Amino acid sequence: MKAEARLAELNHEAENPDLWNNPQNAQSLMRQRQQLEQALSVLKSLETDLEDARTLVELGETEGDADTIAEGEAALARLVGEVQSRSVEALLSGEADANNSYLEVHAGAGGTESQDWAEMLLRMYMRWAERRGFAVKVLDESRGEEAGIKSATLEVSGEKAFGWLKTEAGVHRLVRISPFDSNARRHTSFASVGVYPVIDDTIDIEIDPSDLEMSFTRSSGAGGQHVNRTESAVRIVHKPSGIAIFSQEQRSQHQNRDIAMKRLKARLYDLELKRREERAMEANAAKSDIGWGHQIRSYVLQPYQLVKDLRTGQQSSDPSAVLDGDLDPFIEAALAHRLEGGTSEVEAEDVE
């Protein structure tokens, strides 16, 4: 078995005294070893359960015992469901999939309509995280003038949070009768979602200080007089990539700078992961194009009820459930689609 052979290699590497001179490499190796040990344990458990269920069915058939046969078949049915669930988890084997995740939501053009939609998306992801038992922290939020949000950043902490969320990056489209339109007309709104891994000590990102442009301003958020009277908010621009990070959640300028640098490293690392993925997909004659103007999912509330992922074709006729956090079917389909080297091309729709 390849997994057992790889585990043996990792155990051999762990015996090398030189490894422990580099804490980052040692921590990465130990994490790989732990993941392999867990995977092998699950596999052996599934094999044992399968053999037990087969034995029950065979015993029931030999003795003509319908109850025993039914018990064995029920065990097999439960095992099929568990295997399907484990198969999805097996897709989360990317370099940073085990990490926690940042999730950013930005309203598109359209003022209050798009800002309200951005807040709906933010709530959807918070509800999804709660369902999975993940911890969610709001790092930054810019409120709209009338309703909704202009942008917000979450930190989602939990087992393989980035792996689960990474396929949610892209543009999300809403079609509905606007609650802000006195003429009750149908409106189309857009919001973008960005997903980046939280960088831990096992990943080293080097940034040339000369590539950074840093500025300080007064915080505009709540936090008392100290926050508003001092230039504690930090904005960092990485000039080569154009990535800009703004942090104002802490009272201290030093703390906000550290947070901004951490998020910048996450963005740069995610950028490198995407470049690697694009190169791999190009080698398979596939092309990934996720960005503003390229929708990944549509949520139609009027004239009919439908949520449709434009990459995988996954659908739901219950938008309320999806917007309340029932995202797993869409995420699982997108993960499988990505593993198969599928494209992210937008499909045509019949909603104007």
Side-chain angles (χ1 to χ4, degrees), residues 175-178 186-187 299-306 351:
V175 180
R176 65 171 176 175
I177 301 297
S178 171
R186 194 169 70 224
H187 284 248
Y299 307 70
V300 182
L301 306 186
Q302 282 96 14
Y304 52 85
Q305 301 267 304
L306 181 69
V351 177

Side-chain angles (χ1 to χ4, degrees), residues 299-323:
Y299 307 70
V300 182
L301 306 186
Q302 282 96 14
Y304 52 85
Q305 301 267 304
L306 181 69
V307 178
K308 181 177 181 180
D309 195 291
L310 306 178
R311 303 161 297 178
T312 66
Q314 181 73 29
Q315 298 185 20
S316 171
S317 58
D318 189 357
S320 295
V322 175
L323 292 172

Side-chain angles (χ1 to χ4, degrees), residues 3-206:
E4 291 178 335
R6 177 55 181 157
L7 182 59
E9 290 177 3
L10 291 174
N11 286 333
H12 179 70
E13 290 177 26
E15 296 174 358
N16 183 355
D18 293 336
L19 171 71
W20 303 97
N21 295 329
N22 189 322
Q24 291 182 344
N25 289 344
Q27 187 174 350
S28 176
L29 184 144
M30 296 304 291
R31 185 167 66 176
Q32 290 180 56
R33 188 168 72 173
Q34 182 181 19
Q35 290 173 347
L36 275 175
E37 287 174 344
Q38 290 175 346
L40 286 170
S41 176
V42 168
L43 181 60
K44 291 176 180 177
S45 176
L46 291 173
E47 289 175 342
T48 300
D49 291 345
L50 175 61
E51 187 60 32
D52 290 346
R54 288 177 57 186
T55 300
L56 277 175
V57 173
E58 291 171 358
L59 181 62
E61 290 176 344
T62 300
E63 298 184 356
D65 187 340
D67 290 341
T68 301
I69 294 174
E71 183 181 352
E73 290 176 342
L76 285 171
R78 288 194 299 271
L79 193 59
V80 168
E82 186 173 355
V83 168
Q84 291 175 339
S85 176
R86 296 292 182 180
S87 296
V88 173
E89 291 185 13
L91 300 176
L92 306 180
S93 57
E95 185 176 326
D97 284 356
N99 292 35
N100 294 332
S101 181
Y102 295 120
L103 185 142
E104 297 179 357
V105 179
H106 297 270
T112 302
E113 283 292 336
S114 292
Q115 291 167 14
D116 186 56
W117 170 224
E119 187 169 41
M120 291 169 65
L121 276 178
L122 187 70
R123 178 186 179 277
M124 179 182 76
Y125 288 114
M126 295 178 75
R127 294 286 294 126
W128 172 84
E130 290 169 5
R131 287 175 176 228
R132 298 198 67 88
F134 290 172
V136 179
K137 181 181 179 182
V138 180
L139 298 181
D140 190 40
E141 184 179 88
S142 175
R143 303 295 306 178
E145 285 83 1
E146 297 180 32
I149 59 171
K150 295 178 181 178
S151 64
T153 302
L154 303 178
E155 182 174 347
V156 182
S157 303
E159 186 176 359
K160 299 183 178 180
F162 175 68
W164 284 111
L165 284 169
K166 64 184 180 182
T167 58
E168 289 299 294
V171 177
H172 297 245
R173 174 187 186 224
L174 174 70
V175 180
R176 65 171 176 175
I177 301 297
S178 171
F180 305 101
D181 188 335
S182 59
N183 294 318
R185 290 172 294 190
R186 194 169 70 224
H187 284 248
T188 299
S189 304
F190 296 90
S192 69
V193 173
V195 181
Y196 317 102
V198 175
I199 303 301
D200 57 23
D201 293 336
T202 66
I203 300 171
D204 185 25
I205 306 294
E206 294 185 2

